Amino acid sequence: MRRSIWAVGAVSAVAFTAAAHAETITIATVNNGDMIRMQKLAEDFTKNHPDIQLEWVTLEENVLRQRVTTDIATKGGQYDVMTIGNYEVPIWAKQNWLVALDDMPDGYDADDILPAIRSALTYEDKLYAAPFYGESAMVMYRTDLAEKAGVEIPDQPTWSDIQKAAEAMTDKSNDVYGICLRGKPGWGENMAFLTAMANSYGAAWFDKDWKAQLDSPEWKAAVNDYLTMMNDYGPPGASSNGFNENLSLFQQGKCGIWIDATVAASFVTDPDESTVADKVAFAQFPNKEGVDNHGNWLWSWNLAIPTSTDSEDAAKQFIAWATSKDYTKLVAENEGWRAAPPGTRTSLYENEEYQKEAPFAEMTLNSMQAATPDKPSVQDVPYTGGQFVAIPEFQGIGTAVGQMFSAALAGQMSADQAIQNAQQLTNREMTKAGYPK
């Protein structure tokens, strides 16, 4: 008995000592399905790294961006790992705010990362963030509603095709809305969608001299068509809907068409979460007739390390685990290949099991490969970025403009007033920032 008590006590003492000497890293991340899944599976990491404990800060997308931007700019040191987009990576790397990830552990295979994503996360030939998942944007639609309405959505639809289908699918008496699009304000919320849509209409944020072009005929056409679709065929309260809200509506069977990030495909086809899982098909992001541009959306959520961390080595070990091929296999073992984080590794799209289980794999890859963020507009422009403008000032400008367009969607101002306000604000802020530089 005494020996048993002593043995238990000894084990407890060892466990206590290990815990007492464990290094804690704080991870700031976004509250979407893939990141929540990562937290659930993180026991695999802590089991193999008992000397590292994880503390999670999970935030809504707009709040996450505000918090991590403030922390890194002030060198606050609240977070050891940050979830950031490919918008921030090159800008923050240039400021020496991020730790380079050019010495990842053996077997990580950075060469397997899709070229477009790796390029977006590279500054001066060094990788400064590791992609957790990558995405473009595409059309997701209900095949049963399309068939019932007698409409067809081609693989490469035009906006006229989308508007026609949305009108035909709308059945508001039964809480079915023809189309669901982002309306929540934010440079990465409604303005990600509206910038991609405007690009597909032939619009541009700026001309070659950095003068705002938001009052151009192309922007006006895109914004007016967006508001018409949302007011006539969209759900109520759409000005508050972002990615997560529209995902929920689609899964509940309340949307005929949803145009958003390709990463949503695994969730809308998940029979455990989606009531319409077996009734979903996919198409490329639309273009305006006569304009050869399907939006150019290219995004990745990435894990990066701020230079203010005191736990660089532990943070690198976590990032290497979370963005590895082995993590992808771990997800597949627990939830099937369909749930694997998409859009980051070439090997995933060469995997026959993934191709078999994920009906959206080919369209996702095609959409990402079709994106040309180095040439976001058919016009000659001085910036890159796809669904955003890759300059530091865009975060503030995009959010302010997003608030105006969200107000127009809510009926608080006219489309013309929102466009004029957006044009004036953008020019004012760009002049204040010293453009052209």
Side-chain angles (χ1 to χ4, degrees):
M1 175 77 72
R2 282 196 298 270
R3 283 197 298 272
S4 298
I5 293 172
W6 179 89
V8 170
V11 170
S12 299
V14 170
F16 175 79
T17 301
H21 289 88
E23 186 173 11
T24 299
I25 59 172
T26 302
I27 304 161
T29 194
V30 66
N31 66 337
N32 65 32
D34 282 284
M35 298 303 182
I36 291 169
R37 180 182 292 130
M38 175 175 64
Q39 293 177 49
K40 292 177 181 177
L41 296 175
E43 182 182 343
D44 177 80
F45 174 81
T46 53
K47 179 180 65 178
N48 294 299
H49 298 81
D51 57 332
I52 302 174
Q53 293 184 350
L54 307 180
E55 183 176 289
W56 300 90
V57 178
T58 307
L59 302 165
E60 186 271 332
E61 188 169 322
N62 285 338
V63 177
L64 173 76
R65 290 191 169 108
Q66 293 168 0
R67 296 270 184 91
V68 299
T69 300
T70 299
D71 186 68
I72 202 163
T74 60
K75 301 187 185 303
Q78 292 185 60
Y79 313 115
D80 303 296
V81 175
M82 292 178 165
T83 305
I84 61 176
N86 50 304
Y87 164 74
E88 292 96 345
V89 175
I91 295 172
W92 291 4
K94 186 177 181 180
Q95 298 289 333
N96 296 315
W97 289 351
L98 299 176
V99 174
L101 302 181
D102 54 344
D103 57 346
M104 295 295 270
D106 291 341
Y108 181 73
D109 194 6
D111 290 337
D112 185 48
I113 297 173
L114 289 170
I117 296 296
R118 185 173 180 179
S119 175
L121 306 180
T122 298
Y123 176 71
E124 293 187 343
D125 298 325
K126 289 185 178 181
L127 194 69
Y128 278 88
F132 185 76
Y133 70 74
E135 64 185 36
S136 185
M138 65 181 178
V139 179
M140 295 162 276
Y141 66 95
R142 292 270 302 279
T143 54
D144 57 328
L145 295 182
E147 183 178 352
K148 180 181 178 181
V151 293
E152 183 177 341
I153 297 179
D155 287 343
Q156 296 188 6
T158 65
W159 283 107
S160 294
D161 294 326
I162 294 299
Q163 290 187 54
K164 178 182 176 182
E167 179 181 11
M169 291 184 190
T170 299
D171 183 5
K172 293 184 179 181
S173 62
N174 287 309
D175 290 332
V176 175
Y177 304 95
I179 193 163
C180 294
L181 304 171
R182 297 188 189 192
K184 180 186 290 185
W187 71 267
E189 279 283 6
N190 66 338
M191 289 315 298
F193 175 80
L194 277 168
T195 298
M197 183 175 180
N199 285 341
S200 73
Y201 273 63
W205 264 88
F206 302 101
D207 66 14
K208 290 188 293 183
D209 297 319
W210 290 102
K211 299 299 182 185
Q213 299 296 299
L214 290 158
D215 60 354
S216 67
E218 295 87 358
W219 262 103
K220 288 181 179 179
V223 170
N224 277 289
D225 283 354
Y226 164 81
L227 293 174
T228 296
M229 286 189 291
M230 293 298 283
N231 287 325
D232 292 352
Y233 318 127
S239 60
S240 298
N241 292 347
F243 175 88
N244 285 336
E245 291 80 9
N246 284 328
L247 171 60
S248 178
L249 286 170
F250 195 94
Q251 288 177 324
Q252 294 171 33
K254 295 185 177 182
C255 299
I257 299 168
W258 181 28
I259 306 174
D260 212 299
T262 54
V263 72
S266 68
F267 296 103
V268 298
T269 57
D270 182 351
D272 293 330
E273 297 183 13
S274 175
T275 61
V276 296
D278 60 343
K279 302 177 180 67
V280 185
F282 308 95
Q284 194 168 355
F285 194 95
N287 70 303
K288 183 71 173 175
E289 292 85 347
V291 179
D292 186 19
N293 188 331
H294 285 269
N296 282 329
W297 182 309
L298 186 69
W299 182 255
S300 58
W301 276 119
N302 318 282
L303 302 181
I305 304 171
T307 52
S308 56
T309 183
D310 292 325
S311 303
E312 181 179 319
D313 289 342
K316 280 185 179 177
Q317 290 181 62
F318 174 77
I319 290 176
W321 169 81
T323 63
S324 66
K325 295 179 184 178
D326 287 340
Y327 176 81
T328 300
K329 293 176 184 175
L330 180 66
V331 173
E333 289 169 3
N334 282 269
E335 302 194 30
W337 279 102
R338 179 192 46 75
T344 62
R345 289 187 172 272
T346 300
S347 56
L348 180 65
Y349 293 91
E350 294 173 346
N351 185 305
E352 292 183 1
E353 292 179 83
Y354 181 67
Q355 293 174 7
K356 188 186 306 180
E357 290 189 29
F360 46 83
E362 183 178 1
M363 184 60 70
T364 295
L365 185 61
N366 289 345
S367 297
M368 293 186 69
Q369 290 177 332
T372 54
D374 288 341
K375 185 174 171 49
S377 172
V378 295
Q379 300 184 35
D380 189 5
V381 297
Y383 60 87
T384 61
Q387 79 280 19
F388 56 82
V389 179
I391 57 173
E393 294 78 12
F394 184 74
Q395 189 165 356
I397 291 172
T399 295
V401 170
Q403 291 167 345
M404 295 169 187
F405 290 147
S406 185
L409 179 57
Q412 297 168 3
M413 67 174 72
S414 68
D416 287 345
Q417 188 63 60
I419 289 168
Q420 197 57 43
N421 290 353
Q423 172 76 4
Q424 292 172 357
L425 177 140
T426 302
N427 272 333
R428 183 173 66 247
E429 292 302 313
M430 292 296 284
T431 300
K432 189 187 303 182
Y435 284 83
K437 294 184 177 181

